């Protein structure tokens, strides 16, 4: 793992994007640029659809065949077909009455695998913005798959129509860029814009609809395993939808940045909560080794837990936001992080008297047995009582072995 993360482990999002862009504006990044970084990250960083990295896709290697469309009805595009398409497009662009569309090359081609469908996308550089046209394997019902010459002809017609709406697209995208940059600055702590691009448009679509096409926006922020990673949204249509990311990301990103900075400043590998530490001690486990195991597990899959059983109680340790936390599930309720939830309806007298009591009065478990573990807040919900305690954590010093194994080593 260390060899793959060295390039970026000491950088923040702003520095990572600047390194990838190499004096270009971030919105001109290509899929290959983004994957220079994404390829260094562990599996959990792009797991599920949180990162939206599937909307960026992967750079075409210039020599592989691509099956576009849905499984199992995809259309097989041979590498020679893609090369022929690019040749036809370059010939056609030379004949267009504009010199403001750059000639596409193999590096303009990327492959997006979204759900069960594969798209081949060509990014056309209009100087002021980039237009992605997609081959998705679809064609009019009852007709055979079109030739590459036909596809090129339809793409060129689209490009002519897009050039006619250039001013409107540029105005819209300029507003999107400004909102993305200002939002990243408001999120702060090194957050940065990573990707801003119109969503892919089928090559046979109507260019008059271009101003209604949504955008894909990605930020570089800190994720739940305290790694800098991509995250964002697709189908963004308005500036306000871009700005809404501030509310969604700012609080968690700031908290994670604070934890990460603290760990780096103290040369610590992570934090173990008071209740998790009591549980680990009862099991006779080594805190450092347990934390290292949990971090490795979370990097592989953010849903991973270290599981135990105690009678009818399911116990697990989970690494999140720099902390090793304890989770308990038992007949009648559950516990996680700092909250004990007990099912049932409780009279107001019990609710009123719960605050200030020992947590162990409500659940007999070794992790909650501490004399200083007091109920600090009580919330009654329909059919449940939630009891909170103060969060206390212990930093685990980083050993030489940890430094070799863990990402973000300072």
């Amino acid at each position: 793992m260390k060899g793959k993360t060295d390039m970026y482990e000491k950088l923040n999002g702003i520095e990572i994007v600047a390194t990838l862009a190499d004096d270009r504006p971030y919105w001109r990044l290509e899929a290959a640029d983004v994957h220079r970084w994404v390829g260094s990250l562990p599996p959990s960083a792009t797991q599920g659809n949180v990162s939206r990295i599937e909307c960026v896709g992967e750079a075409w290697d210039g020599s592989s065949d691509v099956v576009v469309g849905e499984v199992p009805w995809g259309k097989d595009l041979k590498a020679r077909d893609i090369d022929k398409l690019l040749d036809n497009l370059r010939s056609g662009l030379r004949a267009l009455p504009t010199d403001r569309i750059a000639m596409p090359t193999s590096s303009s081609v990327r492959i997006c695998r979204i759900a069960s469908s594969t798209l081949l996308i060509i990014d056309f550089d209009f100087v002021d913005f980039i237009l992605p046209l997609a081959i998705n394997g679809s064609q009019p019902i009852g007709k055979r798959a079109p030739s590459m010459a036909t596809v090129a002809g339809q793409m060129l017609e689209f490009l002519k129509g897009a050039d006619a709406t250039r001013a409107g697209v540029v105005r819209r995208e300029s507003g999107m860029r400004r909102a993305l940059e200002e939002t990243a600055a408001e999120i702060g702590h090194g957050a940065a814009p990573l990707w801003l691009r119109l969503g892919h448009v089928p090559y046979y679509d109507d260019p008059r609809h271009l101003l209604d096409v949504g955008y894909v926006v990605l930020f570089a922020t800190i994720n739940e395993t305290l790694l800098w990673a991509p995250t964002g949204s697709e189908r963004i249509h308005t500036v306000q939808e871009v700005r809404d990311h501030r509310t969604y990301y700012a609080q968690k990103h700031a908290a994670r940045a604070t934890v990460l900075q603290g760990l780096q400043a103290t040369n610590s590998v992570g934090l173990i909560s008071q209740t998790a530490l009591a549980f680990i001690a009862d099991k006779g486990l080594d805190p450092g080794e347990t934390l290292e195991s949990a971090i490795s597990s979370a990097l592989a899959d953010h849903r991973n837990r270290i599981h135990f059983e105690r009678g009818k109680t399911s116990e697990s340790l989970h690494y999140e936001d720099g902390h090793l936390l304890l989770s308990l599930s038992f007949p009648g309720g559950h516990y996680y992080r700092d909250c004990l939830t007990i099912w049932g309806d409780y009279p107001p007298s019990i609710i009123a008297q719960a605050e200030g009591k020992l947590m162990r009065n409500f659940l007999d478990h070794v992790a909650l047995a501490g004399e200083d573990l007091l109920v600090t807040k009580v919330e009654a919900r329909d059919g449940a009582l939630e009891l909170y305690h103060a969060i206390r954590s212990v930093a685990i010093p980083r050993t030489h072995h940890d430094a070799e194994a863990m990402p973000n080593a300072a």
Side-chain angles (χ1 to χ4, degrees):
M1 183 67 69
K2 183 172 177 59
K4 297 185 71 178
T5 58
D6 272 350
M7 182 175 178
Y8 304 108
E9 63 187 12
K10 295 182 181 178
L11 305 180
N12 62 27
I14 293 172
E15 293 168 323
I16 289 169
V17 175
T19 299
L20 299 175
D22 191 23
D23 294 329
R24 293 170 293 164
Y26 67 89
W27 58 268
R28 299 193 69 86
L29 287 171
E30 297 179 341
D33 299 318
V34 174
H35 276 273
R36 284 170 53 202
W37 172 40
V38 172
S40 74
L41 299 175
S44 64
T46 55
Q47 196 173 12
N49 63 359
V50 174
S51 70
R52 294 298 194 271
I53 199 65
E54 70 276 7
C55 297
V56 173
E58 302 172 3
W60 181 51
D61 63 10
S63 60
S64 295
D65 301 340
V66 181
V67 177
V68 297
E70 294 187 4
V71 177
W73 300 287
K75 308 297 186 296
D76 186 16
L77 292 181
K78 301 296 185 184
R80 62 177 179 273
D81 295 330
I82 301 172
D83 285 333
K84 181 64 175 176
L85 173 61
L86 293 172
D87 286 341
N88 289 338
L89 288 169
R90 287 188 286 264
S91 296
L93 281 170
R94 292 187 189 99
L96 289 185
T98 179
D99 59 358
R100 296 188 299 171
I101 305 175
M103 296 294 169
T105 67
S106 60
S107 67
S108 307
V109 182
R110 55 190 166 107
I111 302 162
C112 288
R113 296 179 175 86
I114 302 175
S116 61
S117 185
T118 300
L119 309 170
L120 185 138
I121 296 174
I122 301 178
D123 285 321
F124 289 92
D125 187 344
F126 276 61
V127 182
D128 296 318
F129 68 96
I130 294 172
L131 172 61
L133 291 187
I135 299 176
N136 57 11
S138 298
Q139 70 240 16
I141 295 176
K143 294 186 178 181
R144 291 183 297 176
S147 66
M148 287 298 100
T150 299
V151 173
Q154 289 181 271
M155 283 188 171
L156 290 166
E157 285 300 312
F158 194 110
L159 296 176
K160 284 193 291 185
D163 192 51
T165 64
R166 174 189 290 270
V169 176
V170 170
R171 277 195 304 272
R172 183 176 180 227
E173 183 152 324
S174 294
M176 291 284 188
R177 289 177 199 162
R178 184 168 55 253
L180 187 62
E181 291 155 15
E182 291 173 354
T183 300
E186 290 169 353
I187 293 172
H189 302 280
L194 174 67
W195 183 267
L196 174 74
R197 188 152 305 171
L198 282 164
H200 62 268
V201 184
Y203 71 89
Y204 47 79
D205 209 341
D206 189 334
R208 290 176 297 181
H209 300 154
L210 194 55
L211 292 176
D212 298 321
V213 174
Y215 275 79
V216 176
V217 296
L218 300 183
F219 294 88
T221 60
I222 303 172
N223 71 5
E224 62 186 9
T225 57
L226 295 193
L227 284 177
W228 286 93
T231 188
S233 303
E234 56 184 315
R235 300 176 186 172
I236 296 295
H237 289 84
T238 67
V239 163
Q240 185 56 50
E241 288 174 332
V242 176
R243 296 191 185 281
D244 287 344
H245 286 76
R246 181 190 181 282
T247 301
Y248 184 78
Y249 291 114
Q251 186 173 0
K252 281 193 172 182
H253 178 79
R256 289 167 179 169
T258 299
V259 172
L260 182 56
Q261 290 165 3
L263 293 176
Q264 291 173 335
T266 59
N267 198 30
S268 301
V269 67
L271 301 157
I272 301 181
S273 72
Q274 178 184 7
T275 53
L277 195 61
F279 175 79
I280 290 169
D282 181 68
K283 290 288 185 182
L285 302 173
D286 178 84
E289 292 178 359
T290 304
L291 176 58
E292 180 179 340
S293 176
I295 293 175
S296 296
S297 182
L299 291 174
D301 187 328
H302 65 75
R303 298 163 297 191
N304 281 348
R305 306 286 193 274
I306 301 176
H307 290 284
F308 305 87
E309 299 290 336
R310 189 187 304 256
K312 295 182 179 180
T313 299
S314 176
E315 306 162 324
S316 62
L317 294 167
H318 172 56
Y319 177 74
E320 180 181 337
D321 296 342
H323 292 75
L324 185 62
L325 303 167
L326 175 66
S327 176
L328 305 173
S329 181
F330 53 89
H334 61 82
Y335 168 82
Y336 183 64
R337 188 185 292 268
D338 63 342
C339 180
L340 174 63
T341 301
I342 305 174
W343 310 130
D345 294 313
Y346 294 87
S349 59
I350 291 181
I351 297 172
Q353 297 172 19
E355 189 170 332
K357 295 288 180 63
L358 290 167
M359 292 291 292
R360 70 188 185 198
N361 291 344
F362 300 91
L363 180 65
D364 182 18
H365 191 279
V366 63
L368 301 178
E371 291 288 345
D372 58 345
L373 213 55
L374 304 176
V375 177
T376 57
K377 185 174 71 171
V378 183
E379 291 187 0
R381 304 187 184 279
D382 290 342
L385 188 65
E386 294 182 349
L387 307 165
Y388 292 85
H389 64 80
I391 299 178
R392 299 182 181 89
S393 300
V394 175
I396 303 300
R398 188 183 302 278
T399 65
H400 176 72
H401 173 66
D402 293 329
E404 290 298 314
M406 299 297 171
N408 284 327

